[in-house]
Amino acid sequence: MNKIAPELENVRSVAIAGHMRPDGDCVGACMGLYLYIKDNFPHIDVQVYLEKIPVSYNFIKGTEDICSDFGADKEYDLFIGLDSGDRQRYGDAVKYLDAAKRSICIDHHISNSGYADVNHIVPGASSTSELIYELLDEEKITNPIAEALYMGIAHDTGVFQYTCTSPRTMEIGGKLIGKGIPFTKILDDTYYKKTYVQNQITGRALMESILLLHGTCIASGIRMKDMEFYGVDTSDLDGIVSQLRNTKGVEVAIFLYEIKAQEFKVSMRSNEIVDVQEVASYFGGGGHVRAAGCTMQGSIYDVLNNLTRRIEIQLKAWENKK
Ligand SMILES: [Mn+2]
């Protein structure tokens, strides 16, 4: 697929959906594409399905049109699924994929199984928002579209820092900035600034972190009762794993949070050596080489034991290759 326009020929209704607990890239890509279709294909009935998004993203034009209730059945001519490596990631919105006459998936997860009729998957790309940028006609990218895509690219690259950032990513970032969008404010409001309780829970997670595998791995976890104590929900925990990764000497950071008794969501980040996507996939999850996640059962100690065993295999293999 080179451009999105030919895919929209003879299409009267489009559903756009992204993954559960939508992040900046997911929302940026969905909204960028949504606004583009609204602007350029006014005869198309287009609807975005996403779970509730962080309030700081509400400045993006059109977010008030997002449907977060997946109760109604509807058969769309075309379903466009974004930033989701597998069908389960859509949650209950997967029914719009199943019912649609045709489906397209646009994604950059290496673990993507290619579940749609047309699969545009570029694992090397920084973000789904970057892929969306390439599929649009540059001159038709308005400021609201540029704001959405810029937020998405910036979030998934750690503000143009992670290795997934290519010269092309920077070029696109430059083009979007060139449109005169308030990029400093976008980054401050959606990426850097934390609420007081978000900083408190991050502090707690850092304070209680432990070093494993001779200091090459750092791990921390938050239990449901801690979240209740601070009055936070899971979306308030987003920056913690990256903060853990910023520890000198550490190759892998692991952050766990309890979702029910003896069940944890696991986020992992690595610096240079360990493919955390391989580790996450082994336990039924997925993601990217330097950022991945999965869900695991057992006590915190069981979970950490199982994870570090897989990480150690990779560290030893790397050690032996040296
Ligand atoms: Mn993404």
Side-chain angles (χ1 to χ4, degrees):
M1 189 169 29
N2 268 324
K3 290 288 167 196
I4 199 70
E7 306 291 335
L8 298 170
E9 270 171 37
N10 303 318
V11 165
R12 278 175 312 172
S13 60
V14 174
I16 298 172
H19 56 76
M20 295 183 280
R21 298 192 65 235
D23 59 11
D25 180 35
C26 177
V27 175
C30 287
M31 297 317 296
L33 181 59
Y34 170 74
L35 294 170
Y36 189 85
I37 293 176
K38 290 252 307 177
D39 289 348
N40 298 291
F41 302 86
H43 58 284
I44 294 181
D45 163 30
V46 55
Q47 177 66 62
V48 179
Y49 292 98
L50 280 176
E51 283 183 0
K52 220 174 144 335
I53 63 167
V55 287
S56 63
Y57 300 176
N58 285 347
F59 78 95
I60 294 173
K61 192 179 166 191
T63 44
E64 65 278 5
D65 302 337
I66 293 173
C67 179
S68 301
D69 176 356
F70 311 144
D73 287 321
K74 188 160 173 182
E75 185 191 309
Y76 286 90
D77 289 344
L78 179 63
F79 174 94
I80 307 178
L82 303 178
D83 205 35
S84 303
D86 63 70
R87 297 164 39 87
Q88 286 75 32
R89 295 275 283 145
Y90 295 106
D92 291 339
V94 75
K95 69 191 213 186
Y96 302 113
L97 164 64
D98 291 333
K101 293 195 187 107
R102 210 169 115 79
S103 59
I104 297 176
C105 165
I106 302 167
D107 186 29
H108 66 130
H109 290 88
I110 201 166
S111 49
N112 194 301
S113 53
Y115 49 82
D117 297 327
V118 178
N119 296 287
H120 182 61
I121 294 145
V122 187
S126 72
S127 52
T128 302
S129 298
E130 178 173 332
L131 296 177
I132 294 291
Y133 176 93
E134 301 283 25
L135 293 172
L136 308 183
D137 284 331
E138 152 71 23
E139 68 276 13
K140 292 180 184 160
I141 297 178
T142 60
N143 276 29
I145 296 171
E147 290 179 358
L149 297 180
Y150 185 83
M151 179 181 84
I153 296 170
H155 283 210
D156 258 25
T157 57
V159 190
F160 305 94
Q161 184 199 354
Y162 303 150
T163 50
C164 63
T165 310
S166 67
R168 180 65 182 153
T169 313
M170 301 300 282
E171 250 171 54
I172 293 170
K175 288 201 167 148
L176 296 173
I177 283 179
K179 292 182 183 281
I181 60 169
F183 58 94
T184 306
K185 187 167 163 45
I186 291 173
L187 293 178
D188 249 345
D189 291 352
T190 67
Y191 192 80
Y192 290 114
K193 284 207 178 140
K194 303 287 176 198
T195 64
Y196 180 65
V197 285
Q198 283 168 347
N199 277 334
Q200 275 193 308
I201 195 113
T202 302
R204 164 93 181 234
L206 296 181
M207 197 169 68
E208 296 195 338
S209 63
I210 53 171
L211 292 172
L212 301 162
L213 302 175
H214 310 287
T216 56
C217 181
I218 191 167
S220 191
I222 294 286
R223 293 179 187 279
M224 282 189 293
K225 64 175 171 25
D226 303 321
M227 286 187 250
E228 273 162 42
F229 178 79
Y230 289 97
V232 296
D233 63 42
T234 56
S235 66
D236 294 310
L237 309 174
D238 282 351
I240 295 178
V241 70
S242 330
Q243 197 59 54
L244 289 167
R245 189 193 65 98
N246 285 342
T247 310
K248 278 194 179 162
V250 158
E251 166 58 21
V252 181
I254 304 172
F255 176 65
L256 323 170
Y257 65 83
E258 194 180 27
I259 44 176
K260 57 183 177 205
Q262 303 270 42
E263 190 166 315
F264 294 89
K265 281 291 273 185
V266 177
S267 300
M268 288 178 283
R269 297 288 183 275
S270 65
N271 279 312
E272 291 173 86
I273 302 159
V274 173
D275 176 354
V276 286
Q277 194 275 141
E278 190 273 333
V279 179
S281 293
Y282 184 83
F283 295 108
H288 310 284
V289 176
R290 299 279 166 258
C294 54
T295 302
M296 290 172 74
Q297 268 106 22
S299 70
I300 280 198
Y301 304 99
D302 295 336
V303 169
L304 287 179
N305 261 327
N306 287 325
L307 288 169
T308 49
R309 205 169 299 149
R310 296 299 305 175
I311 292 166
E312 200 175 17
I313 293 171
Q314 288 197 40
L315 286 171
K316 285 215 169 115
W318 178 81
E319 203 55 53
N320 291 336
K321 256 197 308 198
K322 267 205 299 189

